[in-house]
Amino acid sequence: MEGWQWLYPPESFEFIGNNGVKIVTKDHSDFWQRTDGDFRHDNGHLLYKKINGNFVLTAEINFTHTTLYDHCGLCARIDEDNWIKMGLEYHSSDISDLGAVVTNFGYSDWSKEEVPASINHAYYKLERRGNDFFVSVSFDGKIYKEIRVAHLHKALPEIMAGVFACSPKRAGLTCQFSNISIEQ
């Protein structure tokens, strides 16, 4: 995948074709800032491209979550204090949370909705229009549901955008991203 870089490389990874990657996470990996406990984590595994201006980032994701807080998805990042991520986060054998975390000036917030934990395949879309971001998910690859509209307050024309995986409580979460696409 030409032009892609790692921010905090995972335990292991394998590129799949021209537009896919399989990631196996390291232990205690996460992205979160200050809110709900004042702790800071900035060591999740992000495979990104630097993108200038507006874009639409999409990917198909398969994963094997089994442990509290396992999650993977899409991310747009300016720096450790300003970013947005979206995806599914495992909570129990019954429930995962579908949502988005938006971090402005070093404080994260989280919007979420419960979905069955049996979901381990999804299609994600993250669209940038200026400093506004539109977050959508599909479970069939055809019909997308918008789950969040958010604003990043720090303004930079070029940001990092790509796929991420985190496992705050263990090593070994496996996520496979395919059909990764960035349209401008």
Side-chain angles (χ1 to χ4, degrees):
M1 293 180 48
E2 190 174 330
W4 292 81
Q5 304 174 59
W6 283 108
L7 177 69
Y8 314 121
E11 184 69 32
S12 65
F13 67 92
E14 173 187 355
F15 289 118
I16 302 165
N18 293 328
N19 60 355
V21 64
K22 181 178 178 180
I23 298 171
V24 179
T25 60
K26 290 182 180 176
D27 193 14
H28 294 95
S29 53
D30 201 4
F31 292 116
W32 184 263
Q33 295 293 341
R34 291 188 180 98
T35 308
D36 190 25
D38 201 35
F39 55 87
R40 301 184 76 172
H41 297 281
D42 190 57
N43 65 347
H45 313 300
L46 173 62
L47 180 64
Y48 71 92
K49 268 186 126 167
K50 291 184 179 179
I51 303 173
N52 196 344
N54 296 336
F55 63 84
V56 177
L57 168 64
T58 57
E60 180 180 356
I61 302 170
N62 290 286
F63 45 91
T64 54
H65 54 240
T66 60
T67 305
L68 185 63
Y69 307 133
D70 283 356
H71 61 291
C72 59
L74 304 181
C75 181
R77 178 183 169 104
I78 295 171
D79 57 29
E80 70 181 23
D81 291 328
N82 301 277
W83 47 266
I84 183 170
K85 69 178 179 179
M86 61 90 56
L88 278 164
E89 181 173 285
Y90 182 83
H91 278 270
S92 71
S93 59
D94 297 322
I95 297 170
S96 287
D97 287 320
L98 170 65
V101 174
V102 178
T103 300
N104 280 300
F105 303 118
Y107 289 88
S108 296
D109 74 36
W110 186 21
S111 61
K112 61 184 179 168
E113 68 178 271
E114 291 182 352
V115 296
S118 60
I119 296 174
N120 62 3
H121 177 252
Y123 301 82
Y124 297 144
K125 179 166 56 172
L126 180 61
E127 180 176 358
R128 178 186 186 184
R129 295 183 211 153
N131 278 20
D132 297 331
F133 291 82
F134 301 80
V135 177
S136 302
V137 65
S138 173
F139 295 111
D140 65 5
K142 298 174 185 158
I143 300 171
Y144 280 83
K145 173 185 174 184
E146 190 171 82
I147 62 169
R148 179 90 187 251
V149 177
H151 185 82
L152 288 181
H153 297 287
K154 186 173 183 178
L156 285 180
E158 185 177 77
I159 64 174
M160 296 175 267
V163 299
F164 80 92
C166 298
S167 57
K169 300 281 187 184
R170 68 167 177 131
L173 170 63
T174 301
C175 301
Q176 182 170 316
F177 299 86
S178 37
N179 302 313
I180 301 170
S181 170
I182 299 174
E183 296 179 15
Q184 288 191 276

